[in-house]
Amino acid sequence: MIKNILTTTIFSLLFSIVSNLNAQTSSQSIESIPILKNTSSETPHLNEKEIKISGTVIDAETKTPLEYATVSFYSQEQQKIVDGVITNIDGIFEVKIPKGIYDINIEYISYKKVTLKNRNITENLDLGTISLQIDLEALDAVEVIAEKTSVEIKLDKKIYNIGKDLTTAGGTVSDALNNVPSVSVDIDGAISLRGNENVRILINGKPSAMAGFGDTNVLSQLPAEAIERVEVITSPSARYDAEGTAGILNIILRQKETLGFNGSFDVTLGNPDNVGISSNINYRTEKFNLFSNIGFRYFNAPRNSFNDTNYFDRLVNGVLEAPEYERIREKENVTRLNRNYNANLGMEYFLSKKTSVTGSLFYRYGEDADLGLNNSDRFNGGSIVEQTLRKEQQDENGDDFQVSLNYITKFNDKGHQLTADVQFENGSEDQSNNINENYIITNQTNPVPFQDEKVSQTQDKKESLYQMDYVLPIGEDSRFEAGYRGNFENEVTDYTLQQEDIATNDFFINDTISNIFDYSENVNALYTQYGSKFGKFSFLLGLRVENTQLKGKIDSRLSDSELEASFGFPIDTDFNNNYFGLFPTLNLIYNLAKSDDDSEESVTFGFNRRINRPRGWFINPFPSRSSRTNIFQGNPNIRPAFSSTFDIGYLKRWEKLTLTTSIYYQHETDSFERIEENTGQQTSDGIDIIRTIPVNLSTNNRTGAELGVLYNPEKWLRLNSSFNFFQFETIGEFNGVDYGAKNTSWFARFSSKITLPSNIDWQTNANYRGASENAQSTREGIFTMDLALSKEVFDNHLTISLNARDIFNSRKRKSLTTTEFFSRYNESQWRQRQVNLSLRYRFNQQKKRNDRRNDNPNGGNDDFDFEG
């Protein structure tokens, strides 16, 4: 069956190529296209083709025309196909043939072939309307291929078609990313590529409000079912934004290309509380495509943490002083109730066969209500001397709105095209915290009550994008490309801390903390690149020029000198820094496979220079107040980091086995590092305040290797595994302390999918992230396992999935941090074991359109498949 489908597809493509050639030399709307040429004397001359055959091919159910259906004529006399034609955009065909007796075959991919046998054709004939029925067996064969996780190697990226990942049914985009080779998502939701968290997240090739303006937590609110594929771009070409020293993850969302009205509905129920409803509804005609994705999710994501801190004696003015408490043990439990709504609506309008305009609107609204209870035990001499309970009620709501417009025109079918994009985004977030702490037991005679605190914070974000890309093929195997991108972001954070006056119980504004931070990041970029192919060798050489403006203004009631005294370093309250950068890229690929060999084998090499720009919260010097004793504080003096990366890759593909591997080296200057240090300040009850602050260290050298294996020995068994090993060395100091460190770590994942009797699919995913360390901390390894079962019912229209993520409830981070002032053991779990039952109902999604608009936009040379 698969062989028949492939044959039909190739047949259609051959017809379309000849049709396009004929269209360039004739003004006729429909041409006769010879399928085979025969030079024998028995073959009739073209002028003998006097009989005209015509007709229309449609879908039997929807009655829509089928473009590029093939109609072939098998001569009973010559025992071979002598002529044929493909249908036009209206499903109409017309061809001239000699008189004779024929079998007429009408075919279209995934449809049952219709054969009109032994037709004696002696005069013009109109076959009328021919209806084709869906071939369910063919569809099953196609779906088996589509559901397999596969990898494609391009000059500048790896493309992972993640297939039907049962373990993420009812889950989020973050869950799906955690199953992509080279990618890992830690327990806090931070995404890393090859162990490096400085990764750029794009949606459909562009920065997007769907990716949360760089806040990857938003990805934990979008449904995993929205993803079609993930592009892992470890050696980005010049066309991509230079942001992200680790590389780029480009998330391609599903967009149905099916004629007529079609879509799907998803419902999820889970424990802890997880209720989700979403729909993906589309309507497509020959002139336009309407698409939508609407969803709602309510979930409870309880988390917990444990800290055990031992404080050391310290030297103050030459005198060794003991801490107020020798040991503090904290245990916190947080309930998190979240409600999220998202909607994406759009329309693609086809101005012509080669030109289209797409407009879309995206909106997301979320509400969070968190309640944290922190029990704190304080020890001296091995005995508890004080115990407190801290309550924090946090309420948060926010929305993001995005409008985008895309224009594309293809000057020909060889990849000569111009695209333009305009995108505007607005986002806002309001957050309020009420914090109070009370004694449970204490050895103080007259303990001073804790101040209640009220924290309010509002964030307003705006971003605009302007982009234009031009692609010009040169000959058969070369291509020139150039473009511009302007990305302009502004974020205003208004932070107010109110504290209780113990004497009056009134609240006053703390002027040393309250502030307004207005931060802008503006990037203008031009790029050009040239690629060519010589036999088995291809290359892509590019240069990107970027000017980055980081601009900020801090509105505080404190003077500059007071700020410096409070924070311990000079602060520029009104800064405007510009950074000019040249970012060369080079990508090479050499095909090692023999021309007569069905396998695929290639070697790739990549070089690129990239930048890591600090985000606003890395620069804002005012500390967070999520804890009285542990705070995060930005650094307004931090500078962008620059990196150069070299990557060598290898791919070998057999019929049932795919092997990918690569080694890489990265040298980064002014690299970011988060360090912990004592502020020298104490709380009202004498506890040292520890801050985490990002700083520029001198250099960071990173080396690594990765290996991936996809093995499908049988139709009922699919195996997928990957291994990533990396080592990094950090060199540098801050405030006289050497933070240099060398660390080796690794992570591995394994996935198996087995089809059981009664066509029940069973999938197992196992992940392990090895232990790691930096200058101050060591982390233990983390092992997790996910299980899932799935069954198709109602003629494959309904999928029922049951999955359990982190089945052993082992996804916990355990770390030990040691400084000259304290030693802290931490154990935290961001999300507990989750069990979900998911239902997906699909309607009218069988009839895929064989649309030339959606073929490779770059002229059929897959080595030059660029997006961005």
Side-chain angles (χ1 to χ4, degrees):
M1 185 60 65
I2 294 177
K3 182 179 179 180
N4 292 337
I5 293 173
L6 292 175
T7 302
T8 305
T9 304
I10 295 172
F11 207 35
S12 299
L13 291 176
L14 289 175
F15 272 136
S16 65
I17 292 172
V18 177
S19 177
N20 287 337
L21 291 175
N22 286 343
Q24 296 175 10
T25 58
S26 173
S27 60
Q28 296 182 10
S29 60
I30 302 176
E31 289 289 339
S32 299
I33 304 173
I35 299 177
L36 299 174
K37 291 185 178 180
N38 192 321
T39 58
S40 68
S41 60
E42 297 179 357
T43 303
H45 296 291
L46 291 178
N47 58 14
E48 296 178 357
K49 297 185 177 183
E50 300 176 349
I51 307 301
K52 183 173 71 172
I53 309 298
S54 61
T56 303
V57 181
I58 66 171
D59 180 289
E61 181 179 344
T62 66
K63 308 304 180 185
T64 54
L66 295 178
E67 183 186 7
Y68 292 103
T70 61
V71 184
S72 60
F73 295 82
Y74 183 88
S75 172
Q76 295 286 7
E77 299 167 345
Q78 302 183 40
Q79 293 294 299
K80 62 176 66 177
I81 295 176
V82 298
D83 217 332
V85 71
I86 61 174
T87 57
N88 68 5
I89 194 171
D90 298 315
I92 300 172
F93 67 90
E94 183 178 304
V95 62
K96 292 181 179 180
I97 61 174
K99 297 178 180 179
I101 299 175
Y102 295 93
D103 289 345
I104 306 173
N105 297 311
I106 302 95
E107 298 177 88
Y108 191 77
I109 186 171
S110 299
Y111 284 72
K112 293 180 180 179
K113 181 172 71 172
V114 170
T115 299
L116 308 177
K117 299 184 70 68
N118 298 321
R119 291 296 182 102
N120 186 7
I121 299 178
T122 59
E123 59 183 1
N124 293 346
L125 177 64
D126 184 358
L127 296 176
T129 299
I130 303 167
S131 300
L132 298 187
Q133 298 279 352
I134 284 291
D135 187 341
L136 294 178
E137 292 184 5
L139 279 175
D140 289 341
V142 172
E143 287 177 358
V144 167
I145 296 173
E147 71 181 7
K148 293 181 181 178
T149 298
S150 61
V151 58
E152 300 175 57
I153 303 295
K154 303 298 181 183
L155 264 171
D156 59 346
K157 61 193 169 190
K158 294 178 183 177
I159 302 174
Y160 292 96
N161 300 298
I162 60 176
K164 295 180 180 178
D165 192 338
L166 307 182
T167 62
T168 62
T172 67
V173 170
S174 292
D175 297 323
L177 289 178
N178 205 37
N179 289 336
V180 174
S182 304
V183 180
S184 61
V185 183
D186 70 12
I187 63 172
D188 297 324
I191 299 170
S192 62
L193 179 59
R194 291 172 167 177
N196 187 345
E197 291 186 5
N198 182 226
V199 56
R200 179 71 157 166
I201 307 294
L202 302 179
I203 303 291
N204 293 336
K206 294 179 282 294
S208 173
M210 298 185 196
F213 297 93
D215 178 9
T216 56
N217 286 329
V218 172
L219 298 179
S220 64
Q221 301 172 8
L222 298 177
E225 287 79 11
I227 296 182
E228 177 177 314
R229 66 182 186 272
V230 177
E231 297 178 347
V232 178
I233 311 172
T234 53
S235 184
S237 67
R239 187 176 193 184
Y240 291 96
D241 181 7
E243 169 71 24
T245 57
I248 294 172
L249 289 180
N250 187 21
I251 301 170
I252 306 299
L253 301 181
R254 296 185 187 277
Q255 187 174 353
K256 299 297 181 184
E257 299 295 344
T258 309
L259 283 171
F261 181 66
N262 60 88
S264 63
F265 294 94
D266 294 89
V267 178
T268 298
L269 297 174
N271 180 46
D273 293 347
N274 182 24
V275 179
I277 302 174
S278 65
S279 66
N280 189 336
I281 300 175
N282 307 270
Y283 179 70
R284 179 165 182 146
T285 70
E286 296 297 337
K287 290 297 294 182
F288 63 85
N289 180 33
L290 295 173
F291 54 91
S292 67
N293 192 300
I294 301 173
F296 163 77
R297 185 173 180 232
Y298 166 84
F299 63 98
N300 177 17
R303 65 177 175 87
N304 60 81
S305 64
F306 173 77
N307 286 285
D308 192 352
T309 307
N310 290 281
Y311 293 91
F312 307 143
D313 294 345
R314 60 180 179 175
L315 197 64
V316 179
N317 298 324
V319 178
L320 194 63
E321 291 186 356
E324 182 73 17
Y325 300 102
E326 297 173 355
R327 179 187 180 193
I328 298 179
R329 188 173 59 193
E330 295 177 289
K331 185 175 183 180
E332 183 181 32
N333 289 285
V334 181
T335 58
R336 299 184 297 169
L337 302 179
N338 299 266
R339 296 177 180 86
N340 295 299
Y341 307 81
N342 64 82
N344 187 31
L345 307 174
M347 183 178 76
E348 181 180 12
Y349 185 77
F350 306 110
L351 300 174
S352 68
K353 291 280 287 184
K354 299 183 183 301
T355 302
S356 67
V357 176
T358 303
S360 65
L361 298 173
F362 171 77
Y363 180 74
R364 181 189 67 84
Y365 176 77
E367 293 180 348
D368 300 341
D370 300 353
L371 175 61
L373 301 177
N374 189 336
N375 287 280
S376 178
D377 298 331
R378 298 159 192 179
F379 295 80
N380 279 327
S383 301
I384 295 180
V385 296
E386 192 168 88
Q387 191 175 66
T388 65
L389 175 62
R390 182 172 183 266
K391 295 182 180 180
E392 179 178 354
Q393 176 69 55
Q394 177 177 299
D395 295 305
E396 180 179 327
N397 64 79
D399 59 1
D400 294 301
F401 177 80
Q402 172 182 299
V403 56
S404 59
L405 187 66
N406 167 266
Y407 170 84
I408 179 170
T409 184
K410 299 178 181 180
F411 302 104
N412 56 36
D413 293 326
K414 297 181 179 180
H416 187 196
Q417 65 181 39
L418 175 69
T419 61
D421 293 272
V422 179
Q423 186 170 286
F424 301 98
E425 304 170 11
N426 280 294
S428 64
E429 184 176 275
D430 295 319
Q431 184 182 104
S432 62
N433 287 22
N434 291 318
I435 304 169
N436 67 79
E437 189 167 359
N438 295 292
Y439 294 103
I440 298 176
I441 61 172
T442 181
N443 63 349
Q444 299 182 52
T445 305
N446 294 305
V448 177
F450 296 104
Q451 288 179 305
D452 286 354
E453 294 182 351
K454 295 181 179 180
V455 177
S456 62
Q457 176 175 288
T458 62
Q459 285 184 317
D460 292 303
K461 298 167 286 188
K462 296 180 180 179
E463 183 172 353
S464 58
L465 170 75
Y466 307 89
Q467 179 173 332
M468 182 172 290
D469 300 285
Y470 175 72
V471 181
L472 175 66
I474 302 174
E476 292 295 327
D477 296 312
S478 299
R479 198 171 78 193
F480 169 80
E481 189 172 346
Y484 162 81
R485 174 183 282 185
N487 209 74
F488 309 98
E489 303 176 44
N490 175 257
E491 181 176 313
V492 179
T493 303
D494 189 342
Y495 184 95
T496 303
L497 170 65
Q498 297 183 66
Q499 293 179 303
E500 181 187 17
D501 186 328
I502 300 299
T504 64
N505 294 329
D506 294 328
F507 284 84
F508 65 93
I509 295 177
N510 185 326
D511 291 337
T512 63
I513 299 296
S514 302
N515 70 96
I516 299 176
F517 183 49
D518 189 336
Y519 178 69
S520 297
E521 177 184 296
N522 302 317
V523 181
N524 286 280
L526 294 170
Y527 81 92
T528 183
Q529 59 187 19
Y530 176 79
S532 189
K533 183 177 182 180
F534 304 95
K536 295 184 176 182
F537 176 77
S538 304
F539 77 89
L540 180 64
L541 178 65
L543 178 65
R544 190 177 186 90
V545 180
E546 288 191 354
N547 183 77
T548 301
Q549 180 191 45
L550 303 181
K551 184 179 180 181
K553 184 176 182 180
I554 302 171
D555 184 2
S556 170
R557 302 186 187 186
L558 299 182
S559 65
D560 290 357
S561 60
E562 289 174 326
L563 286 171
E564 180 177 344
S566 176
F567 299 138
F569 48 78
I571 289 181
D572 187 353
T573 57
D574 191 356
F575 59 88
N576 187 350
N577 300 322
N578 283 267
Y579 302 90
F580 179 81
L582 295 175
F583 302 95
T585 62
L586 174 64
N587 292 283
L588 310 173
I589 185 169
Y590 183 75
N591 183 13
L592 300 173
K594 297 180 181 178
S595 59
D596 58 350
D597 190 353
D598 291 335
S599 66
E600 179 182 348
E601 186 176 16
S602 61
V603 175
T604 60
F605 170 80
F607 165 77
N608 63 86
R609 185 170 188 263
R610 301 189 61 75
I611 185 174
N612 181 8
R613 305 182 186 97
R615 307 301 298 176
W617 66 285
F618 255 46
I619 292 179
N620 190 345
F622 288 88
S624 65
R625 294 289 292 180
S626 60
S627 170
R628 294 191 306 120
T629 58
N630 297 283
I631 62 175
F632 178 89
Q633 186 173 358
N635 180 1
N637 302 318
I638 200 167
R639 304 177 301 278
F642 294 87
S643 72
S644 296
T645 304
F646 301 84
D647 187 296
I648 298 176
Y650 172 78
L651 174 135
K652 176 69 173 178
R653 195 196 310 273
W654 295 270
E655 181 181 359
K656 297 181 178 181
L657 177 67
T658 300
L659 172 70
T660 61
T661 183
S662 65
I663 58 175
Y664 53 90
Y665 169 76
Q666 181 183 85
H667 176 75
E668 184 175 358
T669 58
D670 278 341
S671 60
F672 300 166
E673 184 77 12
R674 300 185 197 187
I675 63 172
E676 292 188 55
E677 63 178 11
N678 196 315
T679 62
Q681 303 173 353
Q682 292 184 326
T683 62
S684 59
D685 51 340
I687 302 175
D688 290 341
I689 298 176
I690 308 301
R691 74 175 174 188
T692 300
I693 183 172
V695 299
N696 288 110
L697 292 184
S698 180
T699 60
N700 187 325
N701 296 311
R702 183 182 295 266
T703 57
E706 55 186 352
L707 173 69
V709 177
L710 301 174
Y711 184 44
N712 304 124
E714 302 291 343
K715 181 179 179 181
W716 55 269
L717 176 62
R718 305 180 187 97
L719 304 175
N720 179 7
S721 64
S722 63
F723 176 82
N724 195 301
F725 170 87
F726 56 91
Q727 180 183 82
F728 63 86
E729 181 179 12
T730 302
I731 303 172
E733 64 175 39
F734 179 72
N735 284 345
V737 178
D738 184 5
Y739 291 100
K742 191 173 185 178
N743 176 49
T744 299
S745 188
W746 58 280
F747 61 87
R749 56 171 51 93
F750 171 80
S751 175
S752 67
K753 188 174 181 183
I754 301 172
T755 301
L756 302 172
S758 300
N759 288 324
I760 297 175
D761 288 328
W762 170 27
Q763 183 172 331
T764 303
N765 286 3
N767 292 269
Y768 182 80
R769 184 179 181 91
S772 63
E773 61 179 291
N774 59 25
Q776 294 180 308
S777 302
T778 60
R779 292 186 183 181
E780 297 183 17
I782 301 176
F783 172 79
T784 61
M785 178 176 285
D786 306 332
L787 297 177
L789 294 171
S790 176
K791 170 69 177 172
E792 303 278 353
V793 295
F794 298 138
D795 294 329
N796 295 330
H797 286 295
L798 179 65
T799 303
I800 304 174
S801 301
L802 177 66
N803 61 46
R805 291 199 293 273
D806 192 14
I807 192 168
F808 297 116
N809 207 33
S810 57
R811 197 178 184 191
K812 300 178 181 179
R813 180 174 60 195
K814 301 176 182 179
S815 63
L816 178 65
T817 301
T818 303
T819 72
E820 62 177 314
F821 301 105
F822 65 89
S823 174
R824 178 193 299 121
Y825 171 79
N826 170 266
E827 185 175 308
S828 57
Q829 185 178 26
W830 187 255
R831 187 176 64 185
Q832 299 176 14
R833 174 176 47 234
Q834 181 79 44
V835 179
N836 290 322
L837 175 65
S838 299
L839 305 177
R840 164 173 281 195
Y841 177 76
R842 298 174 296 276
F843 62 95
N844 296 341
Q845 290 193 357
Q846 309 101 302
K847 293 167 274 297
K848 285 291 184 181
R849 173 184 172 86
N850 188 18
D851 192 343
R852 300 293 295 172
R853 292 189 193 99
N854 301 305
D855 289 348
N856 180 8
N858 301 310
N861 188 345
D862 286 341
D863 287 340
F864 299 124
D865 182 11
F866 305 123
E867 296 179 12

